[in-house]
């Protein structure tokens, strides 16, 4: 008479639940962070609405959390939506971004930013200052705001190789777990594997 080997279903269920938890945690780790509710900007130089007599050599944005320099973008635009930046933003300390600019004419200028923080959250914003006009800059209208958003959004963020590998592994683990759950015995009975005594 063939022997029966029973595998407890409780242990298999615990393993399946653990695999699902690991897969979900991995997928959450690769999900882009949420936008910060408060915008994250603590101070700016030049500040919003500033009336400057001389053009600044750089703009500085100070945030309430550590910034990821490689995933953050800042642009300064003139009234024709042309960039007047003179390089890429660099981090000055853990929470500040500095961007050199080359402003050669009087007028209103827009600072736009899309910043990714080290905790994965993001902040997007824009404000204006004026140079050499003697009056406050015009309020940001929809066209100027959209030009600012476009200027900082044109830099694409790709998924790095390691994150892509983890995403594939998480997907495979999730597929295996779902297959195990689908194939589990009905009614909570233990799985029975018949062993041929001739082997």
């Amino acid at each position: 008479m063939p022997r029966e080997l029973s595998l407890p279903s409780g242990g298999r269920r615990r393993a399946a639940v653990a695999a699902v938890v690991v897969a979900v945690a991995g997928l959450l780790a690769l999900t882009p962070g949420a936008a910060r509710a408060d915008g994250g900007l603590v101070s700016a130089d030049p500040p919003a609405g500033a009336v400057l007599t001389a053009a600044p050599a750089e703009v500085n944005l100070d945030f309430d959390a550590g910034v990821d320099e490689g995933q953050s973008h800042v642009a300064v635009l003139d009234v024709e939506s042309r960039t007047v930046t003179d390089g890429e933003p660099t981090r000055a300390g853990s929470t500040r971004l500095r961007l050199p600019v080359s402003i050669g004419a009087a007028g209103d200028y827009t600072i736009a930013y899309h910043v990714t923080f080290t905790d994965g959250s993001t902040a997007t914003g824009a404000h204006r200052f004026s140079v050499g006009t003697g009056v406050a800059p015009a309020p940001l209208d929809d066209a100027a705001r959209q030009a600012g958003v476009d200027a900082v959004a044109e830099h694409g963020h790709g998924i790095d190789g390691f994150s892509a590998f983890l995403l594939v592994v998480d997907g495979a683990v999730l597929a295996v777990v779902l297959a195990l759950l689908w194939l589990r015995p009905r009614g909570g009975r233990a799985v029975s594997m018949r062993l041929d005594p001739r082997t």
Side-chain angles (χ1 to χ4, degrees), residues 26-172:
L27 290 172
L28 289 176
L30 294 173
T31 304
R36 297 177 78 84
D38 58 1
L41 185 66
V42 173
S43 65
D45 182 23
V51 180
L52 306 180
T53 55
E58 62 186 23
V59 298
N60 290 277
L61 302 174
D62 197 15
F63 297 92
D64 63 0
V67 296
D68 182 344
E69 176 184 350
Q71 299 294 313
S72 300
H73 306 292
V74 180
V76 180
L77 310 172
D78 64 14
V79 292
E80 302 296 327
S81 299
R82 295 177 299 221
T83 60
V84 294
T85 54
D86 195 18
E88 292 295 321
T90 56
R91 204 169 67 172
S94 63
T95 61
R96 177 173 289 194
L97 286 175
R98 175 178 293 149
L99 178 68
V101 294
S102 180
I103 295 175
D108 292 348
Y109 293 88
T110 302
I111 301 173
Y113 60 87
H114 175 76
V115 176
T116 299
F117 298 96
T118 53
D119 65 3
S121 61
T122 63
T124 303
H127 68 267
R128 272 188 166 167
F129 65 94
S130 68
V131 174
T133 63
V135 295
L140 272 175
D141 57 18
D142 290 340
R145 191 175 300 280
Q146 188 59 48
V149 168
D150 292 344
V152 293
E154 64 188 19
H155 303 87
H157 294 298
I159 296 178
D160 62 274
F162 184 67
S163 294
F165 170 74
L166 288 179
L167 191 58
V168 170
V169 169
D170 286 341

